[in-house]
Amino acid sequence: MQANKRYNDLNTYLRNLFGCRVQKITVDAGLTCPNRDGTIASGGCIYCNIRGSGTGAHAKGLSVFKQLINGKKSLSRRYRAKKFIAYFQSFSNTYAPLSVLKSLYEEALSVEDIVGLSVGTRPDCVDEPVLDLLQNYARHWLVWIEYGLQSASDKTLALINRGHDVQCFIDAVEKTKNRGIKICAHVILGLPHETRQDMLHTAATIQKLGIDGIKLHLLYVVKGTRLETLYRQGEFKCLEQQEYVDLVCDFLERISPAMIVQRLTGDPHPKELAAPAWSLKKTETLELIRTTLEKRDSWQGKYIKS
Ligand code: SF4
């Protein structure tokens, strides 16, 4: 981590690696998820909407190639980015026959200036052949796999209908290690009935596994989800902005300074958001995280013993 940084952010990591601004381009490959199609469960995680946390670009008829070309155009204008990572985000991006996955990943890697892949998936959706395939790409490109954990409490995972337990996540991480593939974990702060202690337990679990990156999300309520019904019934409350910021800082203090922080807030679609309204103020929340760390005179890994 750079001396003037309080956490190890993705942009700096990518700039150091490639010597220029690198942006991730979100790709919707038109896949599905075993937690939605009835294989594990139906209806999906209680906070997930019908687009599987994705852009819906595939439903509009856009190929992976076209999505990347469009993404390159807009991100190079907006951020002066020179290189790009194809981020397979929607649904579970290792949940298809190997030949289909190979063709999708290679379609992405064939686009000029794509320097890597980031593959979002569930920990129960990886096997040796798909990891071998990604390992092979990792010899020439930067390859990240992003596993959804969300919480290290089995009770919470059952409540949110994740369809897997904490051990499943640990097994996936162990299977993926030592292959040259970088591992990122997704965690949601503010899940129903979770206490600060539960969330710090999630931080400690992630820390013990020695993974490479983390994405922290705020639990926000999307219209039309089962979570919205629970919210309307008063089953749980959303976090207040400063409450979330404090939890993010607590979490960062308890993970290794070497871990790449890929995200620190959620990114709700304004039209789909039911609550909390402050979750749309992304820049303000990031600034509050920075100033809170400053006020605490704190940083990522402060409580990690070296
Ligand atoms: S695993 Fe992802 S895509 Fe599947 S139901 Fe849960 S949030 Fe939605």
Side-chain angles (χ1 to χ4, degrees), residues 75-90:
L75 294 171
S76 50
R77 252 199 318 256
R78 191 159 164 204
Y79 299 108
R80 298 195 181 173
K82 300 233 175 340
K83 306 276 179 201
F84 306 88
I85 289 170
Y87 174 29
F88 288 80
Q89 181 192 39
S90 314

Side-chain angles (χ1 to χ4, degrees), residues 32-37 42-54 89-92 121-125 148 150 160-164 188 226:
T32 179
C33 163
N35 206 24
R36 298 197 68 104
D37 71 3
S42 52
C45 306
I46 61 171
Y47 49 80
C48 180
N49 72 359
I50 202 155
R51 291 189 289 110
S53 314
Q89 181 192 39
S90 314
F91 298 107
S92 301
T121 193
R122 293 169 54 86
D124 55 0
C125 274
Q150 320 310 0
I160 63 175
N161 197 39
R162 275 297 292 176
H164 66 76
I188 300 177
R226 278 189 283 162

Side-chain angles (χ1 to χ4, degrees), residues 26-31 51 54-64 66-67 70 90-91 269 271-272:
T26 301
V27 170
D28 177 349
L31 300 176
R51 291 189 289 110
T55 60
H58 182 267
K60 292 181 199 146
L62 293 175
S63 67
V64 166
K66 186 70 181 142
Q67 290 175 50
N70 292 349
S90 314
F91 298 107
H269 194 293
K271 285 196 183 133
E272 294 176 350

Side-chain angles (χ1 to χ4, degrees), residues 6-198:
R6 291 188 183 266
Y7 62 87
N8 199 1
D9 70 289
L10 180 67
N11 280 343
T12 309
Y13 157 77
L14 290 173
R15 186 176 283 280
N16 288 342
L17 214 52
F18 295 102
C20 62
R21 177 83 186 212
V22 182
Q23 283 296 135
K24 284 169 91 167
I25 303 175
T26 301
V27 170
D28 177 349
L31 300 176
T32 179
C33 163
N35 206 24
R36 298 197 68 104
D37 71 3
T39 305
I40 290 172
S42 52
C45 306
I46 61 171
Y47 49 80
C48 180
N49 72 359
I50 202 155
R51 291 189 289 110
S53 314
T55 60
H58 182 267
K60 292 181 199 146
L62 293 175
S63 67
V64 166
F65 190 87
K66 186 70 181 142
Q67 290 175 50
L68 289 169
I69 296 294
N70 292 349
K72 270 179 63 172
K73 237 186 252 168
S74 76
L75 294 171
S76 50
R77 252 199 318 256
R78 191 159 164 204
Y79 299 108
R80 298 195 181 173
K82 300 233 175 340
K83 306 276 179 201
F84 306 88
I85 289 170
Y87 174 29
F88 288 80
Q89 181 192 39
S90 314
F91 298 107
S92 301
N93 293 284
T94 52
Y95 185 57
L98 195 66
S99 57
V100 173
L101 295 174
K102 187 170 185 298
S103 134
L104 288 168
Y105 300 152
E106 290 179 13
E107 185 178 340
L109 291 171
S110 73
V111 176
E112 202 182 346
D113 298 323
I114 293 289
V115 291
L117 294 178
S118 205
V119 177
T121 193
R122 293 169 54 86
D124 55 0
C125 274
V126 284
D127 54 17
E128 293 294 322
V130 79
L131 289 172
D132 288 347
L133 182 68
L134 293 174
Q135 178 174 1
N136 209 22
Y137 298 141
R139 295 202 180 99
H140 308 283
W141 289 277
L142 177 65
V143 177
W144 280 83
I145 193 159
E146 301 188 18
Y147 289 128
L149 168 64
Q150 320 310 0
S151 163
S153 154
D154 281 336
K155 202 169 144 202
T156 303
L157 294 185
L159 177 82
I160 63 175
N161 197 39
R162 275 297 292 176
H164 66 76
D165 59 12
V166 179
Q167 190 57 47
C168 171
F169 172 81
I170 295 172
D171 294 343
V173 168
E174 295 304 337
K175 269 197 282 196
T176 311
K177 273 184 174 173
N178 304 318
R179 289 172 173 270
I181 304 168
K182 303 272 184 199
I183 307 168
C184 179
H186 287 232
V187 167
I188 300 177
L189 300 180
L191 287 165
H193 312 306
E194 285 229 322
T195 62
R196 178 174 176 275
Q197 271 325 102
D198 292 324

